[in-house]
Amino acid sequence: MKKLTILHTSDIHGNVYPLNYGNNEVAYLGLGKIATIIAQERMIDEQLILIDNGDVIQGTPLTYHYVQFLKDRPNPMVKILNYLSYDAAVIGNHEFNYGIDVLNKAVSESSFPWLSANTVHEDSDKPFFGKPYIIKEINSVKVAILGVTTHYIPNWESEENIVGLKFKDCLQETKNWVAYIKEYEKPDVLIVSYHGGFERDLETGEPTENLTGENQGYAMCQEIEGIDILLTGHQHRSLTGNVNGVEIVQPSHSGQAIGKVCLTLNNENQIIDKTSSLLIVDDVEADKEVLTLTSEYETQTQAWLDTPIGMIEGDMLITDPFLIRTEDNPLIEFINKVQMEIAGVDISNTALFNNASPGFRPNVTMRDIVSNYIYPNTLKVLQLSGQDIMDALEQNASYFILNEEGQLDVNPAFLLPKTQHYNYDMWEGIDYILDIRKPVGERVTTLNYHGAPIDRNGTYHVIMNNYRAGGGGDYTMFKDKPVVKDIPMDMTELIANYIMKRKTIKATVNHNWKVIWK
């Protein structure tokens, strides 16, 4: 009998230290803790395979500060992955957020290959990052590892960050490469590491989201013969199990857990048993050597986060994120005002990205800004019709349901399989009411612009982040609409500059929108 262990991280999103950057309180996450588990597992099996499944170089103030101020130095996340002797990493969609130059530099500094069989040169169809798959031989067992990346990236990413690239359909490319590997490599074990998730319930096969192609993991398990293990991510779910004979795992996000798959093979290298599990970091002490590797980056990041920016006169704190999404409030109104002034337009939308957003304290620092605006978004002004705006608000209104008690609640579709609070927008420059007592698609009962009903055939210029402008979050009414203005500067920098220029910001609210349900 032979044993083979595969460890799998995904969606680390720049988390190294076990802390919450918003308040520097302890958090049970990060590569520091993951590193301790990896070391423990290597004591059991020195020859284990270690793979990162994508979205590792972006996501925290540490990685943002690095890109803004220290990018001539080695990438801090790559330094750690090199130290931990990763065998391979897969390109995730957020790898592109800081631009192709930052990504290429990270790849060049890596002592392991980055895989993405379906991310290709636009003019040649050759894999952009070189290797679509690698072969490892462990204890006379031949293992193939194929990497693929969700092909939905052009719907979210700024065009300048993916110039010259084409993202081919994951399902079809995985079929093609699995067939190729089986014929020409004849591996004993075939692993697909897919930066994407599952579009259907793993037990019933019922769709759990709109079948856009963003996630195709279920179809891979059902339609592709020869996959032994499917490592997944992107959805930030905690999953283990077996789908149609394929062992699957997805290890949450931010370094809260690491996925583990154990194979047992007979002497003819045939798999006779497969099990998957998640190793949780909660009670694990962070590896001090790993923390030391990036300690200088972290020290500079913390100093930058405490840099004073300005003052807030009034209340921009968040005590109830659910309530924030039901009526106009000073924080969201402020962000929309920043966007409108920068773009020179009078209609804007933005979101409260997650429920951990604390709002702005009276003495604003960079820590406040990055704690509330957590994504490296840029801005675009789109030319929309009044009907487009109406359709977007109806999509917005689907965020809510009335529960069994008749109380307002969040639609489970925005919570499962992945939390999507960032896909509910709040608007400035228009007056509107969402009535959740009405059926989905008929909930916008008031929609006015400059005091009169909006002209559904009229033309309006609207500022929004680049993710939404590409149709992200099922806002298909925005996709491929004319771009009037592109503002490539990161939104956190725009907010900081806005506050620093004015020194003091008054918290205001004009009550231009509300949600009603009773």
Side-chain angles (χ1 to χ4, degrees):
M1 298 293 182
K2 300 177 181 179
K3 301 286 186 180
L4 180 64
T5 301
I6 300 97
L7 296 183
H8 155 229
T9 53
S10 192
D11 299 273
I12 295 293
H13 285 293
N15 285 281
V16 176
Y17 295 82
L19 57 83
N20 179 333
Y21 279 100
N23 50 27
N24 271 351
E25 292 181 357
V26 171
Y28 299 103
L29 48 75
L31 262 182
K33 286 176 172 281
I34 292 290
T36 299
I37 294 178
I38 292 171
Q40 292 169 349
E41 291 295 316
R42 287 197 189 278
M43 292 178 67
I44 301 169
D45 182 359
E46 290 183 1
Q47 298 190 77
L48 60 80
I49 294 173
L50 178 59
I51 303 169
D52 184 78
N53 193 56
D55 283 4
V56 65
I57 68 171
Q58 173 277 337
T60 58
L62 173 70
T63 57
Y64 179 81
H65 181 267
Y66 163 74
V67 168
Q68 294 297 316
F69 305 106
L70 302 173
K71 64 182 178 183
D72 290 337
R73 299 180 60 181
N75 188 294
M77 304 308 294
V78 171
K79 284 185 70 173
I80 294 173
L81 268 59
N82 285 342
Y83 174 81
L84 295 174
S85 298
Y86 271 73
D87 292 291
V90 174
I91 299 291
N93 54 295
H94 284 286
E95 255 68 70
F96 296 95
N97 286 173
Y98 296 143
I100 196 66
D101 290 342
V102 171
L103 175 52
N104 282 336
K105 182 174 181 289
V107 171
S108 69
E109 292 171 356
S110 301
S111 59
F112 51 87
W114 289 75
L115 311 176
S116 185
N118 67 310
T119 304
V120 301
H121 289 274
E122 192 172 41
D123 55 355
S124 68
D125 269 11
K126 293 182 178 178
F128 185 83
F129 296 98
K131 294 185 176 182
Y133 68 90
I134 60 171
I135 301 293
K136 301 283 292 184
E137 189 158 320
I138 298 176
N139 194 19
S140 301
V141 176
K142 187 175 184 180
V143 182
I145 304 164
L146 172 68
V148 286
T149 304
T150 178
H151 62 257
Y152 215 61
I153 289 171
N155 292 280
W156 311 310
E157 191 54 71
S158 297
E159 292 179 10
E160 62 268 22
N161 290 347
I162 54 174
V163 170
L165 299 182
K166 183 166 64 176
F167 299 89
K168 303 180 78 172
D169 183 88
C170 279
L171 180 60
Q172 187 58 51
E173 287 304 293
T174 303
K175 286 180 181 178
N176 295 343
W177 281 105
V178 166
Y180 177 91
I181 292 168
K182 286 174 63 181
E183 180 176 357
Y184 293 100
E185 299 287 359
K186 296 179 173 53
D188 302 307
V189 177
L190 203 160
I191 302 169
V192 174
S193 188
Y194 167 45
H195 189 81
F198 295 96
E199 71 282 24
R200 295 179 181 271
D201 184 277
L202 300 186
E203 294 184 0
T204 68
E206 291 297 314
T208 53
E209 61 187 36
N210 292 331
L211 301 179
T212 61
E214 176 182 349
N215 299 298
Q216 298 175 303
Y218 187 86
M220 288 180 181
C221 292
Q222 297 293 338
E223 299 180 24
I224 304 176
E225 185 179 348
I227 301 175
D228 297 306
I229 300 167
L230 181 65
L231 308 177
T232 66
H234 184 57
Q235 292 175 311
H236 296 187
R237 300 169 70 184
S238 298
L239 296 173
T240 60
N242 193 286
V243 179
N244 194 32
V246 180
E247 199 69 20
I248 65 98
V249 64
Q250 188 172 141
S252 188
H253 64 95
S254 305
Q256 297 180 68
I258 185 169
K260 179 180 181 180
V261 180
C262 295
L263 300 183
T264 303
L265 302 93
N266 61 23
N267 291 331
E268 285 73 45
N269 288 348
Q270 297 168 323
I271 299 172
I272 57 176
D273 187 53
K274 295 187 283 192
T275 61
S276 54
S277 59
L278 295 178
L279 308 179
I280 310 300
V281 305
D282 286 7
D283 298 322
V284 175
E285 185 176 347
D287 185 302
K288 290 184 173 55
E289 290 296 323
V290 166
L291 301 187
T292 300
L293 279 175
T294 53
S295 59
E296 189 175 343
Y297 297 80
E298 175 70 5
T299 298
Q300 293 188 47
T301 299
Q302 289 290 347
W304 171 72
L305 285 171
D306 289 327
T307 302
I309 299 297
M311 302 286 294
I312 300 296
E313 186 179 303
D315 185 4
M316 281 196 195
L317 292 172
I318 295 175
T319 55
D320 186 340
F322 182 77
L323 187 63
I324 287 283
R325 299 186 179 98
T326 66
E327 58 185 1
D328 196 16
N329 65 89
L331 177 69
I332 297 300
E333 184 166 298
F334 166 70
I335 294 173
N336 273 320
K337 282 182 176 179
V338 172
Q339 294 185 171
M340 290 190 294
E341 177 158 323
I342 288 163
V345 300
D346 63 356
I347 305 178
S348 172
N349 66 51
T350 191
L352 183 68
F353 294 118
N354 67 33
N355 286 348
S357 296
F360 287 169
R361 296 172 296 177
N363 296 301
V364 183
T365 64
M366 282 303 304
R367 191 182 304 278
D368 296 299
I369 294 173
V370 300
S371 297
N372 288 281
Y373 209 101
I374 60 176
Y375 297 114
N377 289 333
T378 57
L379 298 175
K380 291 182 186 291
V381 177
L382 298 188
Q383 180 175 301
L384 302 176
S385 69
Q387 186 63 55
D388 292 329
I389 294 173
M390 173 68 78
D391 292 343
L393 290 173
E394 289 290 359
Q395 172 64 23
N396 249 13
S398 70
Y399 176 82
F400 294 108
I401 60 167
L402 294 180
N403 61 26
E404 293 179 355
E405 289 76 37
Q407 297 299 308
L408 192 67
D409 209 340
V410 179
N411 185 341
F414 285 78
L415 301 174
L416 299 170
K418 178 181 179 179
T419 304
Q420 300 179 56
H421 298 305
Y422 53 82
N423 280 331
Y424 174 79
D425 292 329
M426 291 157 279
W427 292 61
E428 191 67 29
I430 55 175
D431 299 291
Y432 64 95
I433 295 174
L434 307 181
D435 187 345
I436 310 307
R437 296 169 298 186
K438 295 186 177 295
V440 172
E442 301 176 16
R443 290 177 165 180
V444 181
T445 57
T446 299
L447 176 53
N448 294 333
Y449 174 70
H450 289 182
I454 202 164
D455 179 359
R456 297 201 186 194
N457 296 315
T459 298
Y460 303 89
H461 291 172
V462 181
I463 182 76
M464 63 188 73
N465 68 59
N466 61 290
Y467 169 77
R468 187 70 78 241
D474 293 329
Y475 286 81
T476 55
M477 69 293 299
F478 297 152
K479 187 171 170 52
D480 298 324
K481 289 296 163 60
V483 177
V484 178
K485 186 180 295 185
D486 191 346
I487 302 169
M489 187 177 293
D490 189 288
M491 188 57 183
T492 52
E493 189 173 350
L494 292 172
I495 295 172
N497 290 343
Y498 186 96
I499 296 174
M500 285 189 289
K501 180 179 179 180
R502 290 158 180 78
K503 307 299 184 186
T504 299
I505 302 296
K506 290 186 177 181
T508 63
V509 59
N510 61 12
H511 303 290
N512 67 297
W513 66 272
K514 63 181 178 179
V515 175
I516 60 175
W517 68 95
K518 58 184 178 180

